[in-house]
Amino acid sequence: MSITIPKIVVIGGGAGGLELATQLGHKLGKKKQADILLIDKNRTHIWKPLLHEVATGSIDPDLDGVVYSAHAAKHHYRFQLGTFCNIDQSNKTITLSPLNDELGHTILPGRTVRYDHLVIAIGSVSNDFNTPGIKEHCYFLDSSQQAERFQHSLLDSFTRLHQDDNQQQSLNIAIVGGGATGVELSAELYHVSELLKLYGLTNMSSKRLHIHLIEAGPRILPALPERIAVSAKRELLKLGVNVREQTQVKEGTAQGFITKDEEHIDADIMVWAAGVKAPDFIKDLGVFELTRSNQIQVNEFLQSTVDESIFVLGDCCAFTQADGKQVPPRAQSAHQMALCVEKNLIATLKQQPLRGFKYSDHGSLVNLSSYSAVGNLMGNLTSNTFFIEGKIARFMYISLYRMHQRAIHGSAKTFALWISEKVLRVVRPKMKLH
């Protein structure tokens, strides 16, 4: 008689979801103590804080991404391609939408997947706050596909300028949202515009690039300490970014943005990076208790408030701390939540007490491409905060990505990846040119 092992389904292969599936694979899947299944609508994983580099061509997702199916085979979990669209709590099943190819032909019909324990880690998407014209005219950077769409448009615009006989023509890019994504994208755009000279586009330079960074609040990087915001703004102004604070956009058009004061900000390319929310379909399910931004309310153990067999982590998770503040939607939050859910799932299977989640803010870092980085680090032994910038801050920023790689690949492979990246830099272009 065969023994049925518990099935743990993780929906979403972002930073937290992939780290969780990997660790559960090693600790439970390898020993056949549980069947671990990761479901994602994409075939590959890119660390979300790097999407602005995908958008500028600094990173090639085809080369730098993690292929879920290959990763699953090495780390003792299973992967299934699919888009989560419904849930049946009473029967403990989820429904996946039909899988179609690029021409709309059905590859797989809608499917039902059973679970014993479910983890929702579907991340977040940009919140356009129902602003007219934004969906129709703006680029978003919520996924690798969206970032690549932007990159193709950017490369086409660079090519047009290079071959234009009128050397006075320039490229206007307007970015709404002065958070980390908007700030880092602004700096990265100037960096790649200078790299183009190395690849034959000698008529293109940062002098022909005009970037407007638009923030509705009183300062950029509103979620970070003011000292970081001041330093980042100083660096952006040096590059030539037109930083527009206290500027609220009320509409997007084919020609640019219209502000609340009826000012027109002309733009050839428009990006919306103002605010995030969990995907709207979560609200349509009518199952969970949600915040205004569609985040799923959880208890102290990161279980949904409506069903203890469903855990939630990452950007779509609404965890209220003791001081009444919610855990911010950051990569470090997803990492810490994944560790907590991992321990609580193992404890659940062993019928042991669960551990409450406690968020530790290790500081914040903003990468200004190759020019600089700024941030603060929280002291582990004291309550002091250390402000850092320049090469030290950039080194710490890169270290965060290495920590993520280590969590999903292990130390040996992370070191091997670092070596291979060094070697490939000799033969690969410094930016994606197709």
Side-chain angles (χ1 to χ4, degrees):
M1 182 172 133
S2 61
I3 300 175
T4 302
I5 61 174
K7 185 172 184 178
I8 300 174
V9 176
V10 181
I11 305 176
L18 182 56
E19 289 181 17
L20 176 63
T22 303
Q23 296 306 315
L24 290 177
H26 285 288
K27 295 179 181 178
L28 298 175
K30 186 177 182 180
K31 301 173 184 176
K32 306 298 182 184
Q33 294 177 353
D35 175 21
I36 315 300
L37 174 65
L38 175 66
I39 297 173
D40 197 275
K41 60 185 178 181
N42 300 305
R43 288 185 168 88
T44 58
H45 161 83
I46 286 286
W47 196 48
K48 194 169 184 178
L50 294 181
L51 282 179
H52 70 282
E53 295 190 40
V54 176
T56 57
S58 300
I59 284 179
D60 187 340
D62 293 332
L63 297 174
D64 298 299
V66 177
V67 180
Y68 290 121
S69 54
H71 188 268
K74 293 182 179 179
H75 296 276
H76 314 288
Y77 67 90
R78 296 187 296 118
F79 170 70
Q80 189 166 340
L81 185 67
T83 301
F84 169 49
C85 66
N86 210 343
I87 184 170
D88 183 343
Q89 290 173 263
S90 58
N91 293 313
K92 286 197 168 185
T93 61
I94 61 168
T95 302
L96 303 182
S97 301
L99 183 63
N100 300 322
D101 63 17
E102 294 179 354
L103 299 176
H105 300 144
T106 300
I107 300 172
L108 287 171
R111 293 146 288 155
T112 298
V113 177
R114 184 191 65 80
Y115 67 86
D116 293 301
H117 305 281
L118 181 67
V119 181
I120 299 178
I122 55 174
S124 61
V125 296
S126 296
N127 191 348
D128 64 7
F129 305 102
N130 296 317
T131 308
I134 299 306
K135 289 180 181 177
E136 294 81 3
H137 302 294
C138 290
Y139 288 94
F140 297 89
L141 302 182
D142 298 324
S143 66
S144 180
Q145 291 88 346
Q146 290 179 341
E148 287 189 272
R149 279 187 60 241
F150 175 87
Q151 191 261 337
H152 293 156
S153 176
L154 181 68
L155 196 58
D156 289 343
S157 297
F158 284 153
T159 303
R160 173 177 54 79
L161 276 183
H162 168 68
Q163 297 183 1
D164 195 324
D165 293 332
N166 183 2
Q167 295 299 304
Q168 302 304 312
Q169 287 287 341
S170 61
L171 177 62
N172 286 305
I173 300 177
I175 304 168
V176 175
T181 298
V183 169
E184 292 178 336
L185 177 62
S186 298
E188 195 68 34
L189 284 167
Y190 274 101
H191 173 61
V192 297
S193 67
E194 288 297 326
L195 287 179
L196 292 169
K197 296 178 182 178
L198 300 175
Y199 304 107
L201 276 71
T202 52
N203 291 333
M204 185 61 209
S205 71
S206 60
K207 294 179 181 178
R208 302 183 70 181
L209 183 64
H210 296 156
I211 296 177
H212 307 274
L213 180 61
I214 306 166
E215 167 58 41
R219 64 176 175 87
I220 61 171
L221 301 174
L224 304 186
E226 186 172 359
R227 187 177 180 184
I228 296 177
V230 170
S231 183
K233 181 179 179 180
R234 182 182 68 242
E235 294 297 327
L236 291 177
L237 292 174
K238 282 183 185 178
L239 292 175
V241 177
N242 178 22
V243 180
R244 300 284 304 269
E245 296 166 325
Q246 293 185 310
T247 304
Q248 186 173 343
V249 169
K250 75 167 190 177
E251 185 181 352
T253 70
Q255 289 73 43
F257 293 111
I258 301 175
T259 71
K260 192 176 181 180
D261 298 328
E262 299 298 334
E263 179 187 0
H264 290 244
I265 300 177
D266 294 333
D268 302 299
I269 299 177
M270 301 153 64
V271 180
W272 187 270
V276 296
K277 63 179 179 180
D280 287 331
F281 81 88
I282 286 292
K283 179 172 58 178
D284 298 334
L285 295 177
V287 173
F288 303 104
E289 290 186 283
L290 306 175
T291 65
R292 291 179 61 186
S293 57
N294 298 339
Q295 290 175 299
I296 300 172
Q297 299 275 11
V298 296
N299 62 18
E300 60 180 317
F301 308 116
L302 297 181
Q303 297 164 310
S304 74
T305 54
V306 301
D307 191 333
E308 291 185 352
S309 67
I310 303 176
F311 290 84
V312 188
L313 65 84
D315 290 2
C316 66
C317 176
F319 181 86
T320 305
Q321 303 177 79
D323 60 2
K325 295 181 180 179
Q326 284 202 347
V327 173
R330 298 179 188 168
Q332 63 171 306
S333 307
H335 172 72
Q336 293 177 38
M337 287 179 174
L339 288 174
C340 180
V341 172
E342 172 200 330
K343 292 176 181 177
N344 282 340
L345 280 169
I346 293 174
T348 298
L349 297 184
K350 293 181 177 180
Q351 297 184 330
Q352 295 175 347
L354 305 188
R355 298 184 184 182
F357 176 67
K358 185 177 181 180
Y359 173 66
S360 298
D361 188 349
H362 298 306
S364 304
L365 293 166
V366 178
N367 182 35
L368 302 175
S369 188
S370 62
Y371 304 107
S372 183
V374 294
N376 69 324
L377 298 179
M378 309 296 288
N380 291 325
L381 301 179
T382 70
S383 59
N384 293 333
T385 300
F386 303 94
F387 178 80
I388 57 174
E389 61 182 331
K391 292 183 178 179
I392 295 176
R394 182 160 172 76
F395 172 78
M396 295 302 297
Y397 184 90
I398 294 172
S399 297
L400 294 177
Y401 180 46
R402 298 304 178 199
M403 288 172 61
H404 172 63
Q405 287 184 310
R406 187 180 174 212
I408 62 175
H409 294 306
S411 300
K413 187 170 182 181
T414 298
F415 179 73
L417 285 170
W418 177 70
I419 294 295
S420 65
E421 287 172 13
K422 293 288 186 183
V423 174
L424 285 172
R425 281 180 187 174
V426 179
V427 295
R428 277 173 56 180
K430 295 181 182 295
M431 63 178 292
K432 186 180 178 184
L433 296 165
H434 62 281

